[in-house]
């Protein structure tokens, strides 16, 4: 499909996702307060009052609805594995938001989801000529993919808590990846990126500018973003080279996810010293 014909379709689907999020936000917030599913303020928190933590539910439903609508214009059957992985991580994050799952169980599911994606071809088995590495053996590819995937999930999970930080980063990175996919003739993953950005925009606006509809994206949303970050990374490093700039695509992925990754490393280092 020609890129210029595809972009309006992607934007329409992103608008559907955004509209779904706008409609769902009030219902999600009402449910959170009714069931006391809020993040209470304390000396470690920045908020001054309880804030709902079910923002990921709104984002997930909007994202899925946008993809469902997109299926009428562009078949998305090749995304079933990705959607299944995102759904598993959404429900794990949702249960963690509701009942605080153990870290061991969350790590086990995260490793399982990344391994599932790895078996279906979403793997880091090359560095796209970075440091001259064009092929990574299967065992090391599996280990590197697990490390990168689980690391991205937890890195993005740890930046939730500051208004607009997680969702703003998600919008920026999804837009950058979407632009890359459009320019490299990959409409399916461009659609995935643009629709996810559309699902995040209403949440970002509520999270930053609204008091009545303010909520946190929670683990259910941040784990989705981490899983998509891994999927986008794998897809981009396997995209056929079109020009000389493509030799820097691994560096590009390092750059757009540098903030959460280095912040997580900083927090882990400080905690180990303490």
């Amino acid at each position: 499909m020609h890129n210029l014909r595809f972009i309006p379709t992607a934007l329409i689907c992103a608008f559907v996702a955004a509209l779904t999020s706008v409609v769902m936000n009030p219902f999600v917030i009402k449910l959170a307060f009714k069931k006391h599913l809020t993040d209470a303020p304390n000396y470690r928190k920045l908020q001054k009052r309880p804030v709902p933590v079910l923002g990921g539910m709104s984002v997930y439903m909007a994202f899925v609805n946008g993809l469902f609508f997109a299926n009428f214009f562009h078949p998305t059957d090749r995304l079933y594995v990705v959607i299944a992985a995102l759904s598993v991580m959404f429900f794990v994050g949702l249960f963690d938001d509701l009942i605080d799952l153990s870290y061991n169980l969350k790590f086990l599911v995260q490793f399982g989801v990344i391994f599932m994606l790895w078996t279906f071809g979403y793997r880091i088995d090359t560095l796209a000529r970075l440091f001259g590495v064009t092929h990574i053996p299967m065992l090391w590819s599996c280990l590197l993919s697990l490390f990168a995937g689980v690391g991205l999930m937890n890195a993005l999970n740890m930046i939730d808590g500051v208004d607009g930080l997680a969702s703003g980063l998600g919008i920026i990175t999804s837009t950058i990846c979407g632009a890359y996919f459009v320019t490299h003739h990959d409409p399916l993953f461009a659609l995935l990126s643009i629709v996810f950005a559309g699902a995040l925009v209403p949440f970002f606006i509520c999270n930053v500018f609204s008091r009545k509809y303010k909520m946190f994206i929670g683990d259910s949303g941040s784990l989705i973003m981490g899983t998509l970050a891994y999927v986008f990374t794998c897809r981009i490093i396997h995209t056929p080279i079109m020009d000389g700039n493509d030799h820097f695509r691994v560096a590009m992925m390092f750059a757009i996810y540098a903030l959460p990754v280095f912040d997580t490393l900083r927090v882990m280092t400080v905690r180990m010293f303490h």
Side-chain angles (χ1 to χ4, degrees):
M1 183 181 299
H2 195 275
N3 289 334
L4 295 179
R5 293 178 56 192
F6 167 74
I7 291 175
T9 301
L11 293 177
I12 292 173
C13 297
F15 176 77
V16 170
L19 184 62
T20 304
S21 182
V22 169
V23 171
M24 285 202 62
N25 284 344
F27 293 100
V28 171
I29 291 174
K30 183 178 180 180
L31 174 65
F33 279 116
K34 183 177 180 179
K35 300 297 183 180
H36 305 290
L37 304 175
T38 58
D39 186 32
N42 59 36
Y43 73 97
R44 296 177 57 193
K45 307 294 179 61
L46 297 178
Q47 76 267 21
K48 304 300 182 182
R49 60 188 181 89
V51 178
V53 293
L54 296 183
M57 179 184 295
S58 175
V59 172
Y60 173 77
M61 295 302 295
F63 181 48
V64 170
N65 194 42
L67 291 179
F68 176 78
F69 185 79
N71 197 60
F72 292 103
F73 302 95
H74 193 77
T76 58
D77 54 321
R78 289 192 293 139
L79 294 176
Y80 286 160
V81 173
V82 175
I83 295 173
L86 295 174
S87 299
V88 171
M89 295 316 304
F90 164 72
F91 285 108
V92 168
L94 181 62
F95 282 120
D96 188 43
D97 289 332
L98 299 179
I99 61 176
D100 288 330
L101 298 177
S102 69
Y103 284 104
N104 292 334
L105 178 59
K106 287 195 294 183
F107 273 119
L108 181 63
V109 177
Q110 288 172 352
F111 278 111
V113 166
I114 297 300
F115 183 74
M116 179 188 74
L117 289 170
W118 183 85
T119 59
F120 279 90
Y122 296 94
R123 58 184 64 164
I124 302 176
D125 54 7
T126 178
L127 293 184
R129 299 186 181 180
L130 180 67
F131 306 124
V133 178
T134 58
H135 175 71
I136 300 174
M138 292 290 284
L139 176 60
W140 291 107
S141 167
C142 183
L143 294 176
L144 179 59
S145 299
L146 291 172
F147 177 79
V150 174
L152 281 170
M153 286 183 188
N154 288 281
L156 289 167
N157 186 27
M158 291 187 69
I159 65 172
D160 180 35
V162 177
D163 290 345
L165 182 57
S167 54
L169 181 68
I171 293 170
I172 292 171
T173 55
S174 295
T175 302
I176 293 172
C177 292
Y180 185 93
F181 291 132
V182 168
T183 57
H184 287 72
H185 310 291
D186 192 349
L188 187 61
F189 278 82
L191 176 67
L192 188 71
S193 309
I194 296 170
V195 171
F196 188 65
L200 283 173
V201 167
F203 172 83
F204 174 83
I205 295 173
C206 291
N207 189 226
V208 176
F209 301 106
S210 174
R211 289 182 58 86
K212 183 178 180 181
Y213 296 116
K214 183 182 292 293
M215 54 182 166
F216 292 148
I217 200 167
D219 286 0
S220 57
S222 59
L223 290 177
I224 290 175
M225 286 196 293
T227 306
L228 269 179
Y230 172 77
V231 169
F232 290 158
T233 299
C234 294
R235 187 69 177 185
I236 284 175
I237 66 175
H238 287 100
T239 301
I241 294 176
M242 292 184 60
D243 55 51
N245 292 326
D246 285 336
H247 295 307
F248 302 101
R249 51 189 166 177
V250 175
M252 179 188 76
M253 299 310 295
F254 274 130
I256 64 177
Y257 292 113
L259 173 64
V261 169
F262 282 102
D263 186 61
T264 301
L265 293 175
R266 178 189 63 83
V267 171
M268 291 173 60
T269 303
V270 170
R271 289 182 178 179
M272 285 189 289
F273 273 114
H274 282 235

